[in-house]
Amino acid sequence: MDGLAYFLVLVMFIASLVVLLLGVITLKTRGLRSVFAALMTTFLIVNFCWLFGPGGFLGIDPSFYSLLGGSATILTFPLATFLILMFLHPRNLVKQIPTFSLLMIPAVVLGSWASQIGVGASQVYEIQYVYLFVILCICLGLVESIWGWLGSRTVRNQCYLFILAFLVLLATGPLYDYELEMLGFWGLRGASLGAPIVGAFILAPLVLANPMPFVKTPYLTISKSRPSYDLKPGRCYGISEKRPKYCYTLFKDLSDSGYPTMVLTSSDPGRLRMDLGLSGSTVIGMTSRDTSKTLKATNLGRVLFTLTEFAEKNRKPVMLVDCLHYMLSNNDTMDVAELIQKLLEPIERNEGVLIMSFSLMTKEEKETLLGLGVLHLQMPPPEDVISRILAAYLGDLSEYLLKLSSRMMSKKARDFTVEDIPELSSILAHSMRALGQATNEEAILRNWERQVIGLRQSLTSFQNAPIAFLSSDGWRDWDSLDWIKKPRRRRPKMRMVAGEAVTPKALATTHRKVSLHDEVSGVFVDSLGDFGSDLLKMECASLGIEFKTMTKEDVEMLADSAATTLFEMGGFVNVESANVSMKATAENLKKDLGRIFQETVEWYPE
Amino acid sequence: MIKRKVVSWTVRGFIVFLISGSVMALFWYHELLYRYGLLSLFVFGGLGIAALIATVSWLTRPYKSLRMRGKGSFYFPPENLTKVLFGTISMISIPIDDEKPPGQGSLCLARVDTGKRIPFANFMIKDVNRAIVSDIEEEDLSRMGFSDIDELQTKAQESGLALSGDVEVYLVEFEVLEKGRF
């Protein structure tokens, strides 16, 4: 070998060493790291043997180095192929053993045989069986890489570089002798020239798909989840909701029950961990760039490997993906569908649960993902159900009290979740009791207390409602007042008073005659809901009016007094918009009552 | 931005080096070239060298992405043209039911919506996210050039788009790479 060839081999040797060190430092998956290290070590041995082998610098026992170089050259090809197969078909190490044996046993046998018959590195490709085996390994790697490139969308970029790696291996390995012949240059031999290039082509995609590091959850006793959440193991759930809320509720329940959990979120991971109290969970963020703590939305290979790694390494893993819409915005829908499909396999095998938030998704995207066998749960917005319950108990006051509660909880009403119900219930109870006490009337206070108990029971019932009930739209027909077996207060009906015999003429002249107190009561209930009837009784008591025998003058007094009370209550609520709205309600009530005593309808006291 | 420039120049430099190295390596085998005769060398060699010079000059242009064609166009009203060019506006919202915008890293053209739809900038999509209009944060609104949601809704209405608080939109964040020169 001449000086230039020595220099080139030395450069390749150093470059291979650098690639080996980079790979060992950067690769996180143990299996891939070991195989990559073995591959680069065989490359180093090949180069080392060329440096110190026959005619080398030191001229130490040329035959030994030559034979070692020959065996290492043979091992290089199956190792490279095995590495690609490991990456494209990630399984646990035990399941990789047959593939490993199939590739490595013939390589070891051929290497030993080549050493025995004294074939060194310079003649290794001249043995027919070795040549055939090496070509077979390269073809297998090439076919798998091309198949991955064409068939898989998530690892397309990786496969592209793997194909290049195998072409370099082919050009610097079995085809090299022909090239040397053509070029007339006999300096470098065998796989030595391609060592760092092949290493770099293989290392780059492996690093791109490097899974995020996570601490393996220690074995925990898994307690039972809430019976209402009955999620089946080994299944994937897509939760449709306007804003992601129920997915967190279900996930938190499973996390608290001791399942190993992981969240992939597009929001701030630290904040989410703090908000949900997920101290034992792995929370990974998804952003527009790849870092040591976040995944890039377009790097689906890395997303897949991170999720698969977690699913494979834990028993009964629970994973939440709340950033599906973010992935779909930056990738093709089919790419994301393939990722989910690949993820379902380890989930099913390890009896885990995958929860995905279907918020902010188009109908087509939902349909595509549901086609993969994802169970769909259409959940109602919690704020809507809470509003319905409040409206049933408090009528028009519900809006004000909801605003008041939202201000006290420093949270917008639209952000209320099922988890907020205990706090919300407590705030509402305090406010309602305070309103009741403001009336200074024991009977009304008692009525408010009854309402408080009913409201709290209804809210708790909603909190514990089974998923099947909520996802089936059953909540829309649910009468929260029925929950406490309380008959719904009906609006007083207008009663017909038959004054004379029913003849066609009489029918034409009959007036609608209703009692005055019913009409007044109707106005109060219409304006203020259940609170209206309480207010009417309170005002009658304070003004000394006999309810059933009230006159038009009494109604006039009642209108003034009720309006004043409502004004005062509006000031008490201390929410500007509620205050204004309360005053408007008072004005309307006064106007409606004024209309009653100005009407010339004949009133029949009972 | 700097990282992207460094990567771009490294790739270009490597390709230029390969071309130059190959030309220099031909000197080693210059005897081979004499076989083909003067006319062949003049015609085919001349064409080859012309193609090489063209490629090298394309590679050594002032900063421009190696990817030539963008994946789509976004339209801006004339009054927003300077704001887009100077980066005051770096985000737009598109209703989710409209055509899906290209994902992160895609190249697009910015066009002035004046009838002819003239391109005025080449930009790269930095991020695409989705949000409900009423949930859009103030920071994103200011990137879109609006002070609040009402202004966004008013402007949308003026351009014939109904963006109520419940509508879901794509939020497309972009960065201008090249201004004018089309």
Side-chain angles (χ1 to χ4, degrees), chain A residues 226 229 245-246 249 380-387 389-390 402 405 409 411 413 415-429 452 454-465 470 478:
Chain A
R226 280 163 63 170
Y229 293 159
K245 289 178 185 176
Y246 269 101
T249 305
E383 67 272 20
D384 284 7
V385 184
I386 291 170
S387 300
I389 293 173
L390 290 189
L402 199 62
S405 313
M409 289 168 73
K411 204 172 193 178
D415 295 332
F416 281 155
T417 64
V418 180
E419 305 294 311
D420 294 326
I421 284 180
E423 194 185 348
L424 177 72
S425 173
S426 159
I427 290 172
L428 283 170
V452 167
L455 180 71
R456 293 189 87 157
Q457 277 183 350
S458 293
L459 286 174
T460 313
S461 307
F462 166 54
Q463 193 188 359
N464 297 324
L470 293 169
W478 175 45

Side-chain angles (χ1 to χ4, degrees), chain A residues 88-101:
Chain A
L88 292 176
H89 308 284
R91 291 188 194 95
N92 59 30
L93 284 175
V94 180
K95 290 193 175 174
Q96 305 278 6
I97 290 173
T99 321
F100 182 76
S101 312

Side-chain angles (χ1 to χ4, degrees), chain B residues 7-27:
Chain B
V7 171
S8 173
W9 279 114
T10 311
V11 173
R12 286 158 197 260
F14 183 67
I15 298 170
V16 171
F17 167 75
L18 283 181
I19 293 169
S20 314
S22 309
V23 171
M24 289 310 292
L26 279 177
F27 284 107

